[in-house]
Amino acid sequence: MRIADLLNVEAMDLDLKTHGKSDTIRYLAKNLEEVGGVENLDALIEKLMAREEQSTTGVGNGIAMPHAQEASVKSPTIVFGRSRRGIPWQSFDGQDARLIFMIVVPEGGSSDHLQALASLSKVLMKEGVSDQLLAANTAKEVVEIFQEHEEVEDREETVATSVNNASKESVATQSDEEVPFIAAVTACPTGIAHTFMAEEKLKAAAQAAGIPIKVETNGQAGIANKLTQADIQKASAIIVAADKQVEMARFDGKPVIIRKVADGINKADELLAQAAQAKAPIYHADHQAANEEIEDEEAESWGRQIYKHLMNGISHMLPFVVAGGILTALSFFWGINSADPSSPEYHIIAQTLKTIGGLAFSMMLPILSGYIGQSIADRPGLVLGIMGGILADPSKFSGFTPEGIFENAVPSGFLGALVAGFLAGAIIKLLQKLFAWMPKSLEGMKSIFIFPVLGILLMGVLMLFVVNGPMGAVMNALINAINSIPQEWGILLGFVVGAMMSIDMGGPINKAAYVTGTALVAQAQGGGSDVMAAVMVGGMVPPLAIGLAATIGRRLWSPAERSSAYVNYVMGAGFITEGAIPFAAADPLHVIPSLALGAGVAGALSMAFNCVSLVPHGGIFAVAARGVTNPMMYLIAWLVGGLVSALLLNFFRRRSGNRYE
């Protein structure tokens, strides 16, 4: 598919006057409608914006590629727009977009869609192309730029085929050391732009160095140019430039350079030179280097690594928390004591629900610590982490009798499980270094026998005799401190944790508030937490506010925005704060403060009304299941907070001049 043939010259605009991402998308789509390229404009805009909500299409270097499939699009089309001053697009590199390529295809034309994206990515990565497009004076010049580069690419492919055929004959008579062969894998979370940009850069660097290379792309349409076992076997080294998980076990025993996909784009020459000299640690299927850890000159900061490991644990923990919390809350339908066989309220269904929910909820700590350990040290870390989470509160699991020296043992709870997760990774790293002398033939013995036995023994001793006491004391002190806060200060605390839930919606600040509330619920042993109630209502406000704002100030929101905004009613009810992220990303300076203020008000009101959440998740469903005390006042706190934010949002939209029919 030729890019030049897809460019719609009539809809092109080389001097965009739009200010934001959504305005630009609407403008370019409208241009396409005016030249007869699409019949249902609103549906196309809605799908383009929905794609932006998944992740930004700003691929960096001043380029954005919004794209979508829509049944009313006549044929695969690229609408090009250029902004002299740049448009905020939340691009991966933080740069404003100046070159915008809107790619639209008819429903079902996924191969055309992805092929166009891949081709565009490759051409735009070529040196000088962006500068030429910025300097073009007419639409015809833009088309000619792509025609010229595509013709050059065709010639290069022909030459490359001839060179490869010739090199196969010469390589047969030369050693691998004389003619290195490089294998590479590129992948990014969306599998569209960066994947192919990295591929193009690595190929260009290899061609300049005269080194044969094969690059496998893990794109949205699947794996292309897949590395065979023969490719891997003859490669001097493997380059993995990826921001998502790729198949790694096949590289066992080969030198492997593991870097982020951005390095494949920006540091292709460096990676290729390193791979050509096989300057990389030997990779093993257990993800460990033989003699040293994988090095990266621009390694993540300690804080970033800790956050990444913690989020791995929390993301795996959440399904257990949600399922356990909701099932437990549902058991309260028959009465607060209906799960107790000795109570007059007893009901067999309530007992069943609470038993299953309680078992699911009891897995919270082992899963949290287990997946923190797995993030640090892979499968061996998972085993030790799970055991560490169990040992953080062993009374929840059968087989533990608090007798003898453990008779007065204090569980460390949530904080102990956090420590256990990182401790699991550290223990495995230590054991790997201590047993690095063992021959590779005994590699399996380490992960099956040595690491689990010694690791669990070390974890058990440390948790029971070192970690639980201090962490349990800290946890109890935290709870006592919160319980001793005067009512007026409690309202302030509610405002703070509620606002924290709306500042970055799923980011570190949000997670800090949520983790605190969850820890308090877990430690309360069924008694619930007013802080958790404030946290949850604070997280429920942003999506509600978006929905209310679009309903109240209908003319201030475009049809596509209204369609997306209304879905947020459901998200807010379900305590899914992330539903507001696309709107916050489009206008952070106005949206985030508005949402944070309303969420803070809701959190403060929740504390003032003495609302207590017995479960750490569920939103309106937890309220309906009697998982929150004073449910009517809690709903009022939620609605008031949402209304405050909605009014502020529409105030700023009105000042910005947003008007739609």
Side-chain angles (χ1 to χ4, degrees):
M1 174 169 291
R2 315 296 292 183
I3 300 172
D5 296 335
L6 296 177
L7 285 166
N8 190 311
V9 176
E10 294 177 317
M12 194 180 297
D13 191 325
L14 301 184
D15 191 19
L16 290 172
K17 302 297 185 185
T18 52
H19 299 281
K21 179 197 297 189
S22 58
D23 292 342
T24 304
I25 288 175
R26 283 193 292 270
Y27 177 80
L28 294 177
K30 181 68 174 174
N31 279 7
L32 183 62
E33 182 199 39
E34 289 176 353
V35 299
V38 62
E39 294 177 352
N40 191 335
L41 176 64
D42 289 343
L44 176 60
I45 293 174
E46 181 180 343
K47 290 183 178 179
L48 286 164
M49 294 306 298
R51 172 59 189 85
E52 294 295 330
E53 291 175 14
Q54 294 175 14
S55 67
T56 180
T57 58
V59 298
N61 298 317
I63 300 167
M65 292 193 288
H67 51 278
Q69 300 178 59
E70 163 52 33
S72 66
V73 171
K74 301 294 183 62
S75 61
T77 304
I78 299 175
V79 181
F80 174 57
R82 184 179 66 190
S83 172
R84 296 292 184 184
R85 62 186 172 189
I87 298 169
W89 213 278
Q90 293 79 49
S91 301
F92 294 128
D93 61 358
Q95 294 186 30
D96 289 348
R98 301 178 68 190
L99 305 174
I100 297 93
F101 297 87
M102 188 183 78
I103 304 172
V104 294
V105 296
E107 200 79 53
S110 58
S111 60
D112 293 335
H113 181 208
L114 296 171
Q115 186 179 345
L117 280 165
S119 300
L120 255 180
S121 300
K122 291 178 180 180
V123 172
L124 292 172
M125 275 285 88
K126 293 183 177 296
E127 188 174 352
V129 173
S130 293
D131 291 337
Q132 289 178 317
L133 291 171
L134 289 170
N137 294 314
T138 64
K140 182 181 178 183
E141 287 183 32
V142 172
V143 174
E144 289 173 349
I145 289 169
F146 282 103
Q147 286 175 333
E148 177 186 346
H149 283 283
E150 287 182 305
E151 289 171 2
V152 170
E153 189 172 322
D154 290 342
R155 290 196 297 270
E156 288 176 349
E157 287 183 5
T158 303
V159 172
T161 302
S162 301
V163 170
N164 285 338
N165 291 335
S167 65
K168 287 179 182 177
E169 299 178 4
S170 62
V171 167
T173 63
Q174 299 177 47
S175 68
D176 289 338
E177 187 177 351
E178 293 171 322
V179 182
F181 170 76
I182 307 301
V185 180
T186 64
C188 63
T190 54
I192 295 177
H194 279 60
T195 299
F196 301 105
M197 289 179 172
E199 176 200 19
E200 188 65 22
K201 281 293 189 179
L202 287 169
K203 283 183 174 179
Q207 184 178 2
I211 298 173
I213 189 172
K214 181 175 180 179
V215 184
E216 171 186 303
T217 54
N218 285 229
Q220 183 69 30
I223 296 175
N225 207 29
K226 186 175 178 63
L227 296 176
T228 65
Q229 197 56 47
D231 294 329
I232 296 168
Q233 191 62 37
K234 73 176 180 179
S236 302
I238 317 291
I239 298 171
V240 178
D243 284 346
K244 71 174 184 178
Q245 188 65 35
V246 298
E247 184 187 347
M248 294 294 294
R250 53 186 166 154
F251 304 139
D252 185 50
K254 299 292 293 187
V256 179
I257 301 167
I258 303 177
R259 303 288 277 271
K260 53 192 176 185
V261 71
D263 287 349
I265 299 171
N266 302 317
K267 299 182 179 181
D269 293 330
E270 175 191 323
L271 296 183
L272 194 75
Q274 189 177 344
Q277 299 175 43
K279 289 185 176 179
I282 303 300
Y283 183 84
H284 292 291
D286 63 359
H287 291 239
Q288 302 301 319
N291 300 310
E292 58 179 332
E293 296 179 4
I294 296 169
E295 295 181 357
D296 187 342
E297 291 78 8
E298 291 188 0
E300 294 175 307
S301 67
W302 278 100
R304 174 62 186 169
Q305 290 183 50
I306 290 171
Y307 174 74
K308 184 172 69 175
H309 300 321
L310 176 61
M311 287 304 105
N312 191 59
I314 288 176
S315 64
H316 284 87
M317 173 194 79
L318 275 179
F320 290 89
V321 173
V322 174
I326 294 297
L327 289 174
T328 301
L330 287 173
S331 73
F332 300 142
F333 266 125
W334 291 270
I336 198 69
N337 298 312
S338 57
D340 183 358
S342 63
S343 170
E345 297 179 328
Y346 173 72
H347 196 288
I348 188 172
I349 296 178
Q351 184 186 19
T352 302
L353 288 171
K354 190 167 184 180
T355 299
I356 297 172
L359 289 171
F361 197 64
S362 68
M363 290 302 297
M364 179 181 79
L365 300 185
I367 294 300
L368 171 67
S369 56
Y371 279 94
I372 291 174
Q374 185 260 358
S375 180
I376 300 170
D378 207 52
R379 190 163 23 185
L382 175 65
V383 175
L384 266 64
I386 287 176
M387 280 306 303
I390 290 173
L391 291 163
D393 193 355
S395 61
K396 285 187 172 18
F397 298 87
S398 62
F400 179 80
T401 304
E403 297 177 344
I405 58 174
F406 302 117
E407 187 172 354
N408 298 312
V410 177
S412 55
F414 197 89
L415 291 182
L418 288 179
V419 173
F422 290 99
L423 194 57
I427 290 173
I428 292 298
K429 295 286 187 184
L430 174 63
L431 292 176
Q432 285 166 347
K433 288 186 179 295
L434 291 177
F435 289 91
W437 55 270
M438 291 181 68
K440 189 177 179 182
S441 59
L442 297 177
E443 196 72 27
M445 184 184 230
K446 290 195 234 177
S447 58
I448 296 297
F449 177 71
I450 295 175
F451 292 169
V453 173
L454 291 181
I456 289 175
L457 176 61
L458 284 170
M459 176 65 76
V461 170
L462 289 171
M463 289 300 295
L464 292 173
F465 294 101
V466 178
V467 175
N468 279 356
M471 287 298 102
V474 171
M475 196 73 210
N476 288 332
L478 175 63
I479 293 171
N480 292 334
I482 290 175
N483 289 337
S484 65
I485 294 176
Q487 177 69 14
E488 58 272 17
W489 287 102
I491 293 172
L492 178 59
L493 175 62
F495 182 91
V496 171
V497 296
M500 286 174 69
M501 292 297 293
S502 298
I503 291 174
D504 57 355
M505 286 167 279
I509 299 173
N510 170 286
K511 286 296 185 289
Y514 180 73
V515 166
T516 301
T518 304
L520 293 172
V521 170
Q523 201 74 7
Q525 301 290 335
S529 166
D530 52 359
V531 175
M532 185 69 244
V535 165
M536 185 158 68
V537 78
M540 294 166 64
V541 163
L544 172 66
I546 297 294
L548 283 175
T551 303
I552 297 170
R554 191 174 183 278
R555 293 187 178 182
L556 300 174
W557 300 72
S558 71
E561 286 176 323
R562 289 199 300 270
S563 178
S564 299
Y566 296 152
V567 177
N568 275 265
Y569 280 120
V570 178
M571 292 187 173
F575 184 30
I576 303 174
T577 315
E578 288 82 354
I581 287 178
F583 299 91
D587 187 13
L589 292 179
H590 292 142
V591 174
I592 291 177
S594 301
L595 297 180
L597 183 60
V601 168
L605 288 174
S606 173
M607 294 289 274
F609 297 151
N610 293 315
C611 298
V612 173
S613 180
L614 306 176
V615 293
H617 214 289
I620 198 73
F621 307 104
V623 176
R626 299 188 182 182
V628 179
T629 63
N630 295 333
M632 290 305 299
M633 300 310 293
Y634 194 68
L635 291 177
I636 289 173
W638 179 43
L639 293 172
V640 169
L643 187 60
V644 168
S645 290
L647 294 175
L648 285 170
L649 285 170
N650 284 343
F651 170 75
F652 287 121
R653 280 194 159 248
R654 194 172 288 107
R655 286 191 59 184
S656 299
N658 290 42
R659 289 289 188 281
Y660 301 93
E661 293 301 324

